[in-house]
Every structure is written in C-alpha cells, then in structure tokens.
Amino acid sequence: MRVRGLRKSLTGVVISDKMEKTVVVQVDRLVKHSTYKKYVRRRAKYTAHDENNTCRQGDKVLIRETRPLSKTKRWRVTQIVEKAVT
C-alpha cells in the first residue's frame, strides 16, 4: 500500500466566489525581512475547488493541497472555519 505524503494546509479568506465550483482564497502571512528584521505582510491568492458551492465571499476557509484539477487549481476547500457576517 502506498502512503501519501503530507499535504500543505493554509487558512485564508474567500475574495471571489463568482466561478462555478471554484473560489479565490487570499492567504496573508508575516515574514521577517532579511535586512531590516521588520515583519512584512505578504499575501498570495489561490484558486481552490469548492465542490458544493458552499463558500461565500468573506468566509474564512481551510484549503488543502491536492493534485492539479485544472490549469490553475491545485487546492481544495476542506472546511469553512468562519462564515462571513452579512
């Protein structure tokens, strides 16, 4: 039996849910600047697969790395951590 490797997990906020079964998740992180030793905020956007179209804009979600699902989708929404306040 083959064992899968550990897959990365990230937490971010849904910034777009306009596509079918796809959401765009923005992940913010703090990185220490190598020269100035100050913490700098970095952000990245990931397209993630949302099978049941349950995520809405503003939701905080947990995404997990997966096999390539399309040209840009390499992440899958595993759970909604916090629903957006409407």
Side-chain angles (χ1 to χ4, degrees):
M1 185 170 120
R2 290 179 33 176
V3 179
R4 277 191 191 155
L6 291 176
R7 299 189 175 198
K8 294 178 191 172
S9 294
L10 297 172
T11 306
V13 178
V14 175
I15 57 173
S16 173
D17 62 343
K18 302 225 182 300
M19 294 173 273
E20 241 352 93
K21 296 189 178 186
T22 304
V23 291
V24 180
V25 179
Q26 179 174 295
V27 176
D28 292 328
R29 61 192 176 96
L30 288 175
V31 178
K32 195 174 207 176
H33 194 281
S34 59
T35 305
Y36 300 116
K37 309 300 185 213
K38 178 182 177 179
Y39 283 97
V40 183
R41 194 175 309 276
R42 297 280 184 222
R43 63 177 47 159
K45 289 194 279 189
Y46 300 98
T47 52
H49 186 67
D50 178 23
E51 183 62 41
N52 301 319
N53 281 328
T54 53
C55 296
R56 294 290 163 247
Q57 192 169 357
D59 289 354
K60 191 173 189 179
V61 294
L62 182 72
I63 58 174
R64 178 145 306 159
E65 195 175 31
T66 186
R67 65 182 175 85
L69 298 170
S70 73
K71 182 180 175 183
T72 57
K73 279 200 287 188
R74 272 95 175 111
W75 297 85
R76 190 182 298 267
V77 175
T78 54
Q79 81 178 68
I80 299 173
V81 177
E82 188 180 309
K83 292 297 270 181
V85 179
T86 54

